[in-house]
Amino acid sequence: MNYIDNYKSFRFLKIGRRLFHIGIFLLPSAFSFSAVLLIVSAFLSSLNYKYIFKQKWNYPFFAVGILMLLKNILLEINLFDSKNSLVLSQSHWIDLLNWIPLIWIFSSFQIYLVTKNDREICYGLLLAGTFPILVSGFAQYFLGWHGPFEAFNGLIVWYQKSIESRGYNSLTGPFNNQNYAGAWLVTILPICFFKVKKHFNIKYKRIIFLSFLIALFIGIFLTNSRNAIIASFLSIPIILGVSFKFWLVIFIFIFSFLIGIIIFELPLEILRPLRKSKILESFIPHYDLQFKDFLNFTRIKLWANAISSIMQRPFWGWGASSFSVIYMLNNEDFIFLHTHNLILEVTHNYGII
């Protein structure tokens, strides 16, 4: 496939590809440098813009970006009613910077990932870049090494928080939060599965990638991040290609259990033995809670408020960064800056479209 228009573009892309590879490797451990390298590589890729516009899967993202821009323009010229304009703040333009660059990066990086070999190189760099994260996390958890550690006048910061200072055991490594560490490790998990499967017949590679896979699982569990642990269990049957029947059985089991709690008013005390496990403890509600108490959980209240607001403006939404203001107007408790759910957040701000 000829995706380079001329020799000049080839020279730029050759430099951009090298910067892209270095940026991918440094992404989890030196984000500041990685971001600069990746942005420069995206600019160099954009010089070959004809390739970007030849990819049909880019057009839905371009359309979404245009809709987001249109939404903010309509807000600026007050085409919505005054009540909404009072609720919305000027930060909706800043929030747009969370999305438009991602659309540009998504389309720009494709030229560096055209062939199967390009993608496998990227996978290898992501795994190699994760190795320092695991070493850092295990040293923090088992040896008590903690920081924060800084380099280049604070451009690189490894938080490496002390476990004792947080009052509970959780691996964070260079990240400042165990959920961030867990999110990164569980994102790398499918890549490691792929490497194990591909190189399973080569003994030394099988040992290397299986060891890495085990280390990833251990690291995920040590983060005590519920999101990461659930995601790791969900990813396994998806990666292994488990049939639809398996998912149907799991769904029926969970659904039946919840119905049993609601209809037959099963006491949550039956889950009490599971709380003896440190890993399962954070997943199990306190045994003296009743099902009706779930409706008062913070996350449930946030999602309920978000869905209620979405139903009022389903197509255009309320504007970026608006949830906190709307929630504050409708509730007298804590102020929350976002919905804690990506789908609800985008729908609330920009509409279902």
Side-chain angles (χ1 to χ4, degrees):
M1 179 180 182
N2 184 17
Y3 55 88
I4 301 175
D5 292 334
N6 53 56
Y7 181 69
K8 186 177 180 180
S9 295
F10 174 78
R11 286 187 297 173
F12 282 130
L13 286 176
K14 192 172 182 180
I15 298 172
R17 181 174 283 104
R18 292 186 182 277
L19 296 179
F20 174 74
H21 288 164
I22 299 173
I24 290 295
F25 173 74
L26 295 176
L27 187 58
S29 58
F31 178 76
S32 299
F33 289 106
S34 172
V36 172
L37 294 173
L38 291 175
I39 289 173
V40 173
S41 70
F43 272 114
L44 295 177
S45 167
S46 299
L47 296 176
N48 204 60
Y49 61 89
K50 290 183 180 179
Y51 173 82
I52 294 175
F53 286 100
K54 287 179 181 178
Q55 309 307 307
K56 63 179 181 179
W57 288 110
N58 288 337
Y59 285 96
F61 291 94
F62 295 155
V64 167
I66 293 172
L67 284 173
M68 287 181 168
L69 285 170
L70 179 61
K71 167 69 178 180
N72 281 4
I73 292 172
L74 293 175
L75 288 171
E76 285 295 327
I77 60 179
N78 284 325
L79 291 185
F80 296 114
D81 58 80
S82 58
K83 177 184 177 181
N84 293 335
S85 62
L86 289 174
V87 170
L88 299 170
S89 66
Q90 294 300 314
S91 60
H92 55 258
W93 286 109
I94 298 177
D95 184 86
L96 202 61
L97 295 177
N98 288 322
W99 303 105
I100 300 301
L102 288 180
I103 297 172
W104 168 57
I105 286 173
F106 172 80
S107 58
S108 298
F109 284 170
Q110 290 170 352
I111 203 167
Y112 302 130
L113 301 166
V114 174
T115 67
K116 181 180 179 181
N117 184 61
D118 289 335
R119 294 188 287 274
E120 289 197 21
I121 291 174
C122 184
Y123 297 159
L125 290 169
L126 286 169
L127 287 174
T130 302
F131 182 74
I133 306 302
L134 289 172
V135 173
S136 162
F138 291 150
Q140 171 200 28
Y141 194 90
F142 295 109
L143 302 179
W145 293 2
H146 62 87
F149 304 115
E150 296 186 9
F152 302 103
N153 199 28
L155 283 176
I156 298 178
V157 179
W158 283 28
Y159 292 94
Q160 201 85 4
K161 293 183 177 180
S162 169
I163 291 179
E164 290 78 10
S165 68
R166 296 194 305 274
Y168 57 92
N169 294 338
S170 58
L171 180 150
T172 64
F175 301 96
N176 69 343
N177 184 285
Q178 68 270 21
N179 289 319
Y180 299 155
W184 178 264
L185 295 179
V186 81
T187 301
I188 300 301
L189 193 63
I191 297 175
C192 198
F193 262 113
F194 165 75
K195 288 290 187 179
V196 170
K197 182 179 179 180
K198 181 180 179 182
H199 300 293
F200 196 79
N201 294 327
I202 305 175
K203 185 176 181 180
Y204 77 95
K205 289 188 177 181
R206 179 173 71 240
I207 294 173
I208 291 174
F209 289 118
L210 273 176
S211 300
F212 203 100
L213 183 64
I214 294 171
L216 278 176
F217 271 115
I218 294 174
I220 290 169
F221 278 99
L222 292 182
T223 62
N224 284 325
S225 169
R226 288 172 292 184
N227 291 334
I229 294 173
I230 292 174
S232 64
F233 277 112
L234 289 176
S235 67
I236 293 173
I238 294 175
I239 295 169
L240 297 180
V242 175
S243 67
F244 173 76
K245 293 180 180 179
F246 173 84
W247 288 106
L248 183 61
V249 171
I250 295 297
F251 174 78
I252 292 175
F253 173 78
I254 296 175
F255 184 75
S256 300
F257 181 74
L258 293 176
I259 291 298
I261 292 177
I262 298 172
I263 296 179
F264 301 106
E265 298 183 354
L266 296 178
L268 293 178
E269 190 172 359
I270 62 175
L271 302 176
R272 188 175 185 179
L274 298 178
R275 295 183 62 85
K276 295 179 180 179
S277 168
K278 291 184 178 180
I279 295 176
L280 295 176
E281 183 180 8
S282 61
F283 291 87
I284 307 302
H286 202 267
Y287 63 88
D288 59 354
L289 290 175
Q290 300 298 320
F291 182 78
K292 62 182 180 181
D293 297 321
F294 281 89
L295 300 178
N296 294 321
F297 282 9
T298 302
R299 286 293 168 87
I300 301 299
K301 290 179 65 176
L302 285 175
W303 296 342
N305 274 265
I307 293 172
S308 176
S309 297
I310 290 169
M311 291 299 100
Q312 296 177 43
R313 298 191 63 87
F315 297 109
W316 284 104
W318 291 83
S321 304
S322 59
F323 177 77
S324 59
V325 181
I326 294 175
Y327 186 87
M328 182 177 62
L329 292 176
N330 296 328
N331 300 273
E332 298 180 355
D333 51 2
F334 298 106
I335 298 176
F336 296 94
L337 299 180
H338 52 83
T339 62
H340 285 80
N341 182 283
L342 185 58
I343 296 176
L344 290 179
E345 184 73 15
V346 177
T347 307
H348 181 278
N349 294 346
Y350 296 102
I352 294 175
I353 298 176

